[in-house]
Each structure stands twice: as structure tokens, then as C-alpha cells.
Amino acid sequence: QVQLVESGGGLVQAGDSLRLSCVVSGLSFSKYAMAWFRQAPGKEREFVARCNWSGSITYYTDSVKGRFTISRDNAKNTVYLQMNNLEPEDTTAYYCAAGNYSHYDYWGQGTQVAVSS
């Protein structure tokens, strides 16, 4: 079956960096656009970043532009989210997703990021 497994979350201080990873199995990874979302308890899910099948086209929500970078390694079936200059407002669970640019069919279980001030 399809599995997306995130890792790399943790507790850091404001200004620090983290790199999230999402390993995908059970589908033809290189045929899918990949994205990262985040969602805090009781809040709506928020889009963070996405990339096309090759990683050559990326898009970010305004609040993370210049700080976060999405990339992928199709040989490793893995998508990454490099997060620099983290802010307390970035604290929440992060989820990777696979699909096309407008709709994502497969989701991971999430990894928690906490940024202290």
C-alpha cells in the first residue's frame, strides 16, 4: 500500500534550522507532485510548499518564502523541506502529500516541529 513517512521534526530555538524528510513507497514517486502542509490543533490545514515531479518548479506560501526550500530525490523516493530561520509561528505538525498540483491523494502521518522564542 502507499506509505508516506515523515521525519526530522523536533524542538529548536528561533533562528535555527530543521530539514524534514518524507519517504514514499507504494507508488511511482517520480510521477507525482509533492507538497508539504502544516496544521495546528483546531486550525485549518495550511499549504506550505509544493514541487513538480522533477523538483524544477516550486511554489511557497508567502510566510515561508526565502526561509523554506522544498526539494526531492526521485532515486530515493524522498521529498525534503529545508526550514531555515525558524520562527515560533512555524510551530505545528507538518505533513507531506503526493498528488497533482491541485489535489493530493496520499498523506503522511506528520512530524511535529516546535520553535521556542
Side-chain angles (χ1 to χ4, degrees), residues 25-96:
S25 60
L27 54 75
S28 297
F29 180 72
S30 63
K31 294 184 179 180
Y32 285 80
M34 295 298 298
W36 288 93
F37 291 79
R38 60 189 181 186
Q39 185 172 21
K43 294 190 177 181
E44 291 191 0
R45 185 168 58 202
E46 178 189 18
F47 165 80
V48 176
R50 67 178 182 231
C51 67
N52 69 333
W53 68 274
S54 67
S56 61
I57 301 173
T58 59
Y59 185 79
Y60 301 90
T61 192
D62 285 346
S63 62
V64 308
K65 282 181 182 176
R67 300 189 298 124
F68 290 12
T69 303
I70 187 171
S71 62
R72 65 190 293 162
D73 185 339
N74 286 346
K76 295 182 178 180
N77 283 12
T78 302
V79 62
Y80 304 98
L81 185 67
Q82 178 67 44
M83 307 187 294
N84 297 331
N85 194 21
L86 282 160
E87 303 170 352
E89 293 73 20
D90 297 318
T91 295
T92 188
Y94 286 73
Y95 301 86
C96 67

Side-chain angles (χ1 to χ4, degrees), residues 96-111:
C96 67
N100 61 38
Y101 245 42
S102 58
H103 178 75
Y104 294 89
D105 297 305
Y106 304 103
W107 294 82
Q109 294 300 304
T111 186

